[in-house]
Amino acid sequence: MPELVAPTPRLHSSWLAAQEEWGPDAHMDGAGLGADDDVTTPEGFAEWTGRLRRRADRTAPVEQGRVHATHWWITEGDTYLGAIDLRHYLNAFLLDAGGHIGYGVRPSARGRGLAGWALGEVLHEARLLGMDRVLLTCDPGNAASARTIERGGGVLEDVRETLVGPKRRYWVTL
């Protein structure tokens, strides 16, 4: 049975195995991983997961270019299956290309409905934060993600060129 958990150093080896599945240069949507984050050492991984947890604290400052966000990992027991995050508000980049919610499921765990389940859970969390609608985006060629967003209530606004290439943009009314 999957669950959403706060990022934790305890899952370091499982997280690294998932990263290997994605490949060394792949972007892991929803993970909150920056180019300068050290995730290979236990110390660096612990520091990174702590930073992810602190981003939810709206009384604390966040790193430049970031917004306050709550990060969860999709897990089964001690197995990391993916990640989903809820950005509490949008900066210019997120309004253009990223949206309020990002998610990714490791390749070996896809096709099980995990992204849709996690999206439903996080939409509930967005309501609790007082949000009345959220933006989600995906690449035009990512049919699985488009279906997940549409099943979650996403209404296509448009497909547009963004800072990171073309994106399908959906709004979910909460």
Side-chain angles (χ1 to χ4, degrees):
M1 186 82 166
E3 63 180 321
L4 295 181
V5 301
T8 174
R10 182 177 59 80
L11 297 177
H12 187 208
S13 62
S14 183
W15 189 93
L16 286 174
Q19 185 185 40
E20 266 187 47
E21 287 182 25
W22 260 291
D25 297 323
H27 176 71
M28 297 167 62
D29 291 320
L33 183 62
D36 295 334
D37 290 322
D38 168 22
V39 293
T40 57
T41 68
E43 300 79 19
F45 193 79
E47 181 180 318
W48 174 64
T49 57
R51 198 166 44 254
L52 291 179
R53 290 188 306 274
R54 286 189 300 277
R55 283 188 190 145
D57 180 356
R58 294 187 68 170
T59 66
V62 292
E63 308 97 305
Q64 184 169 350
R66 298 281 184 176
V67 299
H68 288 99
T70 305
H71 296 268
W72 294 272
W73 288 354
I74 306 165
T75 64
E76 278 183 332
D78 288 335
T79 303
Y80 172 91
L81 302 174
I84 188 165
D85 67 341
L86 172 62
R87 295 116 187 188
H88 299 183
Y89 49 89
L90 301 176
N91 60 19
F93 172 77
L94 293 172
L95 179 61
D96 179 56
H100 287 97
I101 298 173
Y103 57 84
V105 174
R106 72 190 287 176
S108 64
R110 292 179 184 159
R112 296 176 42 195
L114 293 168
W117 168 80
L119 178 59
E121 296 293 309
V122 171
L123 289 174
H124 174 73
E125 294 293 329
R127 284 184 201 94
L128 294 176
L129 280 176
M131 301 170 127
D132 59 0
R133 70 182 194 146
V134 294
L135 174 66
L136 288 96
T137 69
C138 68
D139 292 341
N142 190 340
S145 190
R147 277 191 308 276
T148 296
I149 295 168
E150 290 166 0
R151 287 179 184 148
V155 176
L156 182 66
E157 177 183 47
D158 60 18
V159 180
R160 67 173 73 165
E161 192 61 36
T162 72
L163 296 168
V164 294
K167 292 289 179 185
R168 296 176 63 90
R169 294 168 40 87
Y170 293 89
W171 287 95
V172 177
T173 302
L174 303 173

